[in-house]
Amino acid sequence: MIKDNLELVQNNIKEAYLNSKHKQEVNLIAVSKTHSVNQILEAYNCGIRDFGENKVQELLGKIDLLPSDIRWHLIGHLQTNKVKYIIDKVYLIHSVDSYKLALEIDKQAKKKNVYSNILIQVNISGEESKFGIEKDEAIELVKKISLLENIKIKGLMTIAPACENPENCREIFSLLYNLSIDILSLNIDNINRLNLSMGMSNDYLVAIDEGANFVRIGTDIFGKRDYKREN
Ligand SMILES: *Cc1c(COP(=O)(O)O)cnc(C)c1O
């Protein structure tokens, strides 16, 4: 079933890419939070190598049980005191939204002698419940973080509000795209390309149309999440 779901999602991505405005590279991240190691292996055996988790503890519990060529994406809010556990284990941190967090990432990366790839999470929709830096503050944050030696800013991430009609999220995605163009036009040292992580099961087709480079898809691949089974 995961195999069939993946085939459908991958075909949809290809089609959306062919019709998209910007014809950018699109990467699929299979969001495996709450799902078992066996389910992840099923997707792995279909060729998927990028997996997304939103909780540090859950991620750490899975990493050692799974093949080492998996690229782990941390897509959830990251607490400063947990950075040290994951710094050399994840491929990309999608959720950096404060200078304080970036400083800790830089510090821990230096300790382990690694470079940390991050995205800046922007709260485009302005929803109070969402993490992410406000859009108006994003440029200053990017400038400050770009000076940290062991961090590489690889792009921007946003989470659209849950909307019934994905077309209602289009503006949010296009605002993130425009923000990335604005930032690139400033020619900030160490920033020459910004990937956009946006789009989930409900809205990834619209997100791709508006320039997504990473889509984060859970439900459409693994089915509904059962939060009662957590931990
Ligand atoms: C859970 C989650 C997703 C995947 O959501 P689906 O609707 O299941 O595709 C994507 N991004 C983030 C940040 C998430 O927490």
Side-chain angles (χ1 to χ4, degrees), residues 53-227:
E53 290 282 339
N54 68 335
K55 294 201 173 127
V56 167
Q57 206 160 1
E58 186 177 348
L59 173 66
L60 292 173
K62 286 172 174 174
I63 285 181
D64 292 338
L65 305 174
L66 285 155
S68 60
D69 63 341
I70 285 180
R71 293 181 290 266
W72 291 103
H73 297 253
L74 189 77
I75 59 172
H77 180 65
L78 176 58
Q79 287 172 301
T80 314
N81 61 357
K82 302 233 169 109
V83 171
K84 56 180 177 287
Y85 303 120
I86 54 122
I87 190 70
D88 54 347
K89 298 193 166 76
V90 295
Y91 173 74
L92 185 61
I93 300 172
H94 289 235
S95 47
V96 176
D97 61 358
S98 74
Y99 189 61
K100 179 173 163 248
L101 176 59
L103 273 179
E104 177 65 13
I105 291 172
D106 188 56
K107 180 177 147 194
Q108 296 299 337
K110 281 196 177 92
K111 264 194 197 168
K112 294 261 167 73
N113 207 14
V114 295
Y115 290 91
S116 183
N117 295 322
I118 66 150
L119 306 179
I120 306 293
Q121 182 174 355
V122 188
N123 183 357
I124 296 277
S125 64
E127 268 190 301
E128 271 178 38
S129 59
K130 291 258 156 56
F131 292 108
I133 183 94
E134 297 295 316
K135 182 165 162 284
D136 294 342
E137 297 164 29
I139 290 181
E140 278 316 302
L141 184 64
V142 168
K143 280 185 187 164
K144 273 166 79 179
I145 295 179
S146 73
L147 299 172
L148 298 176
E149 282 176 354
N150 285 51
I151 287 189
K152 293 188 175 169
I153 299 179
K154 294 290 183 181
L156 308 176
M157 179 271 225
T158 200
I159 302 174
C163 31
E164 301 246 311
N165 180 354
E167 281 300 326
N168 296 339
C169 294
R170 184 178 288 279
E171 191 189 359
I172 287 173
F173 299 138
S174 98
L175 284 170
L176 192 72
Y177 179 85
N178 290 340
L179 177 63
S180 75
I181 299 296
D182 288 349
I183 295 173
L184 288 175
S185 74
L186 299 173
N187 291 317
I188 301 168
D189 279 353
N190 305 319
I191 298 184
N192 40 36
R193 185 198 155 132
L194 290 173
N195 294 285
L196 302 182
S197 168
M198 56 189 195
M200 317 188 352
S201 291
N202 263 333
D203 52 23
Y204 68 98
L205 297 178
V206 177
I208 291 170
D209 199 28
E210 296 296 334
N213 299 105
F214 291 106
V215 288
R216 312 176 304 263
I217 301 181
T219 308
D220 278 8
I221 293 173
F222 296 106
K224 275 222 172 83
R225 283 180 290 276
D226 182 357
Y227 282 101

